[in-house]
Amino acid sequence: MASRTELVEDLMSRFPHVPREAVIKEDLLRGGLAFDDSALTDNEGGDVKPKSYFIFSFDHRTLPELGTAALRRPPEEIVLTGGPYGLRRTVVSVRTNPASPYRVRTDDDGRLRLHLDGRPIADVGLPPMPEYYRHTLANGKSVMEVAPTIQWGYLIYLTAFRVCQYFGAKEECQYCDINHNWRQHKAAGRPYTGVKPVDEILEALEIIDRHDTGKTSKAYTLTGGSITSHVGGKAEADFYGQYAQAIEERFPGRWIGKVVAQALPRADVQRFKDYGIQIYHPNYEVWDKRLFELYCPGKERYVGRAEWHRRILESAEVFGPRNVIPNFVAGVEMAAPAGFTSVDEAIDSTAEGLQYFMSRGITPRFTTWCPEPTTPLGKANPEGAPLEYHIRLLEIYRATMAANGLSSPPGYGPPGPGHAVFSVSSFMDSLPANVEQELVDS
């Protein structure tokens, strides 16, 4: 294609059942977007919620390479509406890329718009600074550092452990920059707490609960790096479980409790449930056996793909299949040097994994791969996976759900274009709107 616009419009034409909003959103998530200086935030002193870097960088450049965007952060998310494609309200996580053909800038009429190849394609809304971000803990730490919110305020993201014990080239997942993100924030002198004390999280949640008078926040996610030994004398289930226990004791029923952790043995999974967790995310990352072994070497070494999948199925006996929602990183299927070289092969492989879980009542979800530059796969694949892969994935995802009689998973807000708030992939935007079911789940 001669331009990105032509590519996007060609895919909109070829896949009319995929919402146009999702085509734009997936392209922004896989390739990033640039900001004029006028569209950057004033960090925590302004009226716009800034990007919190809640676990990964989700940027196409390192902090030193971002220039002004490293000093005046971009917004956490943007919301797109209108334009020549008639976009319904679409929430998109910000992934900064100064070289992107997408740019957010203020037009001559004073309105903020998203431009593609120099042409305005959508109005841009910015997330307002929540009142709870304007308050600090007793020790001076910001709520944004301890308990940032994403998905337009729906989800509180609690990264309790900022690094991963899968460390180094022989253990780290080849697409993951959690350890580098920790290092770059520390090098820049930013506050970036390695292990968040339980009492600090409770204090931050107290502030959120007090000032979130509209109860916009509906769920929290407990997560962080994998633990292969101990942190603070606790193995993974008890380390993350201690936070859930404390939260549920202090705020019973206030939020949907979710945990992202490794696929753990049944006894550990039961402890998560006993601690008060309602939804378990034992992420399987990539379906193909060969790619899992190559791209997730630590997980293959410590657990192994077959055992990982067995544990996911077993966890459904504890939480119920609907409440086990493993993530995969959409796009790494096509990452050189070992990934599939055709979209057809990659989709066939991913579809096999979707059917494996969905036929058992488990609904995976996915994050759109952002090729961060400090990761092996990011360095080798700076453009990420082809946009066609992502659009066809949305098509096969929805079809597989329908074939297995499944509806949108709980804890992600409402589904459907114009309704969805899940910001790091378009899977919720591409599903049928079902607001009544979401009200039941919430």
Side-chain angles (χ1 to χ4, degrees):
M1 294 290 173
S3 70
R4 186 69 69 84
T5 299
E6 289 177 308
L7 171 64
V8 166
E9 292 184 349
D10 175 67
L11 289 168
M12 287 179 175
S13 175
R14 290 169 53 202
F15 299 96
H17 299 300
V18 174
R20 290 183 167 195
E21 293 83 359
V23 177
I24 298 292
K25 181 170 175 175
E26 287 298 307
D27 206 19
L28 290 168
L29 291 173
R30 78 181 185 101
L33 69 164
F35 289 84
D36 277 5
D37 287 353
S38 63
L40 296 172
T41 78
D42 293 319
N43 298 324
E44 290 175 81
D47 295 325
V48 176
K49 181 196 285 190
K51 183 168 176 171
S52 62
Y53 291 90
F54 50 90
I55 185 166
F56 312 115
S57 74
F58 284 134
D59 282 334
H60 291 253
R61 299 288 188 274
T62 63
L63 281 179
E65 295 172 326
L66 289 181
T68 307
L71 302 174
R72 297 179 57 231
R73 302 187 190 196
E76 184 76 78
E77 295 153 328
I78 58 174
V79 64
L80 305 177
T81 53
Y85 305 121
L87 300 183
R88 291 162 287 188
R89 184 177 186 274
T90 305
V91 180
V92 187
S93 177
V94 165
R95 298 175 174 188
T96 314
N97 181 2
S100 173
Y102 292 93
R103 178 170 289 272
V104 177
R105 71 166 189 249
T106 304
D107 281 349
D108 292 340
D109 60 3
R111 298 180 67 177
L112 200 62
R113 290 190 174 90
L114 177 67
H115 294 73
L116 173 58
D117 296 328
R119 166 179 170 246
I121 64 166
D123 292 330
V124 173
L126 301 177
M129 179 70 78
E131 178 60 29
Y132 47 79
Y133 268 24
R134 301 188 187 278
H135 299 266
T136 60
L137 280 62
N139 61 10
K141 288 186 180 180
S142 69
V143 171
M144 187 179 79
E145 157 60 12
V146 178
T149 54
I150 59 173
Q151 297 172 25
W152 221 256
Y154 179 91
L155 180 69
I156 305 169
Y157 208 93
L158 304 174
T159 312
F161 182 42
R162 291 279 203 175
V163 294
C164 180
Q165 290 184 348
Y166 291 136
F167 196 81
K170 294 184 179 181
E171 290 193 355
E172 289 179 351
C173 292
Q174 300 295 287
Y175 49 80
C176 176
D177 80 342
I178 184 173
N179 288 329
H180 172 78
N181 196 39
W182 155 262
R183 290 190 293 267
Q184 74 168 354
H185 282 268
K186 299 303 286 185
R190 292 181 172 185
Y192 211 69
T193 307
V195 178
K196 295 180 180 178
V198 173
D199 59 349
E200 288 186 5
I201 284 181
L202 292 177
E203 187 179 355
L205 291 177
E206 194 83 55
I207 294 170
I208 292 174
D209 187 49
R210 186 185 322 134
H211 295 284
D212 180 21
T213 55
K215 297 292 189 285
T216 300
S217 58
K218 304 288 188 185
Y220 66 82
T221 289
L222 279 165
T223 188
S226 297
I227 297 171
T228 59
S229 56
H230 296 86
V231 175
K234 297 181 183 292
E236 187 161 314
D238 289 326
F239 174 77
Y240 290 114
Q242 69 182 322
Y243 296 91
Q245 183 179 37
I247 292 168
E248 294 305 322
E249 288 177 355
R250 179 74 65 88
F251 308 98
R254 170 62 178 87
W255 295 286
I256 301 169
K258 307 193 285 185
V259 66
V260 179
Q262 297 189 87
L264 297 173
R266 182 175 182 137
D268 289 341
V269 173
Q270 183 64 54
R271 287 212 294 283
F272 278 145
K273 186 171 178 61
D274 293 343
Y275 283 134
I277 289 296
Q278 298 176 53
I279 296 172
Y280 179 41
H281 301 292
N283 301 339
Y284 69 88
E285 314 298 15
V286 62
W287 174 253
D288 181 76
K289 180 178 186 296
R290 178 178 59 94
L291 293 181
F292 183 88
E293 292 169 354
L294 291 171
Y295 291 166
C296 304
K299 290 174 179 174
E300 174 62 25
R301 173 185 170 188
Y302 281 89
V303 180
R305 176 181 178 273
E307 177 64 12
W308 199 281
H309 294 172
R310 190 192 70 78
R311 290 178 180 183
I312 290 175
L313 300 184
E314 194 173 68
S315 69
E317 299 172 7
V318 175
F319 280 96
R322 182 166 170 76
N323 297 314
V324 175
I325 310 170
N327 186 67
F328 63 99
V329 185
V332 298
E333 295 90 342
M334 299 198 69
F340 295 106
T341 56
S342 80
V343 173
D344 286 346
E345 290 177 312
I347 289 294
D348 286 347
S349 173
T350 305
E352 181 181 286
L354 292 175
Q355 177 61 20
Y356 177 84
F357 289 113
M358 290 184 179
S359 65
R360 293 162 170 83
I362 294 169
T363 307
R365 51 96 169 181
F366 60 88
T367 300
T368 301
W369 175 41
C370 175
E372 289 123 333
T374 60
T375 65
L377 295 185
K379 290 176 183 175
N381 304 269
E383 302 300 317
L387 180 57
E388 181 178 339
Y389 167 82
H390 293 284
I391 304 314
R392 290 178 58 183
L393 172 61
L394 293 172
E395 189 175 54
I396 196 68
Y397 184 91
R398 177 169 172 167
T400 308
M401 281 189 67
N404 288 282
L406 301 176
S407 59
S408 60
Y412 285 90
H419 299 282
V421 294
F422 187 69
S423 58
V424 295
S425 85
S426 303
F427 89 92
M428 289 293 286
D429 303 76
S430 66
L431 297 177
N434 189 351
V435 179
E436 291 183 3
Q437 181 61 53
E438 173 57 28
L439 290 174
V440 170
D441 293 334
S442 297

